[in-house]
Amino acid sequence: MFDRIGRRIRLTVASEILVAHARSALQELNEAQVAIDELNGLQRGGLRIGVVQTVNAYLMPDLVAAFTNAYPAISLQIEELATRDIEQRLADGDLQIGIGFVPPETAGVTGEGLFSEELVVVVSGQHPWADLPQLPVQSLHQQPLILLSSTFCTRRLWNRCAHITGIQPRVQIEMNTIGSILAAVRQLALATVLPAMVLNGQPDLGGNIQS
């Protein structure tokens, strides 16, 4: 680490290089800590958030408005993605937060419960099931349904529920947006299975809680 020249001691060339890198690393750590402290204090910074379609459509507008009013210095970048894409981008560091409906399955990604939601059968107001207060899940055995594709966590949750209860619904139509499914339900004698939150502001649709 040191060279002795007579009564003098000085750093070796290798030690000078090491000290320079150490000072640089300490400076970067200090700057990182300042940035973290500022973000923790919500003084400035940004968040990149991935959300599934249902959350983006029915929860994020109010959440974004409330957050931005409270912390106007924090910028938000919100992307609507499939659950698997959210988890992969979290693992890659492209996102800081992800919001979905199922526990994460990707290594290195952890989850925390924020709220619980029910799956409901959604039908038009003219459907024979519209006025039923509750519908046993077995009623959907061999019933034609219009559903999200299996890339969506809502569909995978429903598939799991059907498997556990031993029923085999008939998927007649698959679509990739909730809006298009609800529009089709209004015109067709078909039911769908979606989170209960989609019924907010939909007075012409009926939702029956599965039991």
Side-chain angles (χ1 to χ4, degrees):
M1 294 290 293
F2 300 93
D3 284 333
R4 180 181 292 277
I5 303 175
R7 295 183 177 180
R8 297 174 54 195
I9 296 177
R10 70 179 185 183
L11 292 172
T12 64
V13 174
S15 296
E16 289 177 349
I17 294 174
L18 178 60
V19 168
H21 281 283
R23 286 173 177 165
S24 177
L26 289 172
Q27 178 63 29
E28 289 180 4
L29 286 172
N30 182 62
E31 292 174 356
Q33 186 61 55
V34 171
I36 291 171
D37 290 342
E38 289 180 336
L39 184 57
N40 288 338
L42 297 178
Q43 298 175 25
R44 67 176 177 86
L47 290 173
R48 298 189 303 277
I49 305 171
V51 295
V52 295
Q53 183 180 141
T54 310
V55 171
N56 195 35
Y58 298 97
L59 291 183
M60 291 308 293
D62 289 341
L63 291 176
V64 167
F67 184 90
T68 300
N69 286 333
Y71 309 108
I74 304 297
S75 64
L76 297 176
Q77 180 181 335
I78 299 169
E79 295 188 55
E80 182 178 297
L81 300 165
T83 301
R84 290 167 182 164
D85 293 332
I86 290 175
E87 292 184 16
Q88 187 58 56
R89 291 184 59 179
L90 283 169
D92 293 341
D94 294 333
L95 296 175
Q96 294 166 304
I97 299 173
I99 305 177
F101 284 115
V102 294
E105 300 175 348
T106 302
V109 178
T110 60
E112 179 178 344
L114 298 176
F115 61 93
S116 60
E117 180 67 316
E118 295 175 302
L119 288 180
V120 297
V121 177
V122 182
V123 296
S124 70
Q126 293 72 44
H127 196 281
W129 291 346
D131 296 325
L132 295 178
Q134 194 171 57
L135 185 70
V137 69
Q138 289 78 10
S139 299
L140 276 73
H141 180 65
Q142 292 300 317
Q143 286 293 320
L145 299 176
I146 175 171
L147 297 174
L148 289 166
S149 71
S150 58
T151 60
F152 292 89
C153 57
T154 300
R155 172 66 181 279
R156 297 201 299 276
L157 284 171
W158 164 240
N159 287 348
R160 189 182 308 167
C161 177
H163 176 73
I164 291 172
T165 54
I167 66 171
Q168 295 180 338
R170 180 162 59 89
V171 182
Q172 184 164 336
I173 302 174
E174 286 189 348
M175 304 180 83
N176 65 358
T177 69
I178 292 170
S180 60
I181 287 178
L182 295 180
V185 164
R186 289 185 175 93
Q187 301 180 51
L188 300 171
L190 293 177
T192 187
V193 178
L194 291 169
M197 68 178 71
V198 306
L199 292 177
N200 295 335
Q202 307 284 345
D204 57 335
L205 295 175
N208 301 283
I209 304 298
Q210 300 180 88
S211 60

